[in-house]
Amino acid sequence: MTSEVVENEFEFYSKAEKYWKDVPATVDGMLGGYGHISSIDINSSRKFLQRFLRDGPNRTGTTRALDCGAGMAKVGGWMKLDSTRGTQVGHPQAKAFTCKWLPGGEGIPTAASVPSPGHPLSPNPCSAPPGHLTDNHLSDFLKRCRAGLRPNGIVVIKDNMAQEGVIMDDVDSSVCRDLAAVRRIIRRAGLHLLAEERQENFPDEIYHVYALAMR
């Protein structure tokens, strides 16, 4: 649990905010010097999402997308504009909302939705990559996602996963959870997993990365 490695929530969030202010808003900056794996990442994410665009019980809609903890909006951009084999990953008329990480009350990150402040997730949900949220705040955020889903909507997260337990990164002030911990938080938020997939063809020296879809 993050309570075992995060001693002070305010410092945890403040230190992360300070770190990312100094990181270049480039693919290489967002990926910590691993910009060359961006296309591998995107292609795998596209393939993962396409399973939910086919007919079946887990089929989802394509008219709205919300990219939380958007950084430079790399993900939101290809979701909205990219297409493969004639199947649009994001509908051409879709409004791709992005959430920027802004300092909130007591140092807790909050979301600003662009361009519409009236999205169902507003106002001010905790909104940052999972590794930058404590267990309680990640669970609360996923609950808000669940409440804001359209019929047949899905929530997808993709993040680093530890082999065991929860590991603190003192450089960017983030945590890396193992899959068991992430699954517990998902259940706690009242969501159930539809699919999970480990990212392939990433460098051996970095954490394993998993994509998880839920509703």
Side-chain angles (χ1 to χ4, degrees):
M1 297 185 296
T2 53
S3 59
E4 297 174 353
V5 295
V6 177
E7 296 180 0
N8 185 301
E9 282 188 358
F10 180 84
E11 291 182 2
F12 175 66
Y13 290 128
S14 297
K15 186 176 179 180
E17 181 189 357
K18 181 179 179 181
Y19 171 84
W20 287 106
K21 278 184 177 179
D22 295 331
V23 174
T26 63
V27 173
D28 207 44
M30 294 296 103
L31 295 182
Y34 284 88
H36 60 283
I37 68 174
S38 180
S39 60
I40 300 173
D41 180 24
I42 287 174
N43 287 335
S44 295
S45 296
R46 179 194 296 117
K47 183 178 178 182
F48 183 75
L49 287 178
Q50 282 176 338
R51 71 178 70 188
F52 302 104
L53 303 179
R54 298 189 292 264
D55 288 336
N58 294 329
R59 181 179 173 84
T60 189
T62 58
T63 58
R64 292 291 186 273
L66 176 66
D67 183 7
C68 298
M72 57 182 291
K74 177 172 73 78
V75 175
W78 68 258
M79 280 180 64
K80 183 179 180 183
L81 301 174
D82 193 35
S83 62
T84 303
R85 297 181 182 177
T87 301
Q88 197 76 25
V89 174
H91 190 277
Q93 300 303 317
K95 295 180 181 178
F97 295 89
T98 60
C99 288
K100 293 183 179 180
W101 186 5
L102 302 175
E106 300 181 354
I108 297 171
T110 61
S113 56
V114 180
S116 169
H119 187 274
L121 287 180
S122 296
N124 296 334
C126 296
S127 192
H132 283 290
L133 293 175
T134 63
D135 290 352
N136 287 338
H137 290 150
L138 178 54
S139 176
D140 288 345
F141 170 64
L142 290 176
K143 288 176 183 177
R144 294 180 186 228
C145 287
R146 185 191 67 192
L149 284 179
R150 288 190 162 206
N152 299 319
I154 60 172
V155 180
V156 178
I157 61 175
K158 189 172 186 180
D159 205 7
N160 299 330
M161 299 289 168
Q163 293 282 353
E164 184 178 359
V166 180
I167 301 172
M168 180 74 181
D169 186 332
D170 288 322
V171 175
D172 66 358
S173 192
S174 66
V175 293
C176 186
R177 303 172 176 89
D178 62 22
L179 269 172
V182 174
R183 292 184 190 121
R184 283 195 298 270
I185 294 172
I186 290 171
R187 290 193 299 269
R188 177 176 157 191
L191 292 159
H192 67 273
L193 276 172
L194 302 175
E196 65 179 45
E197 181 175 279
R198 179 181 166 185
Q199 171 70 52
E200 297 181 347
N201 300 317
F202 267 13
D204 292 336
E205 67 270 19
I206 66 176
Y207 284 118
H208 294 168
V209 174
Y210 277 80
L212 302 97
M214 65 206 83
R215 70 162 51 113

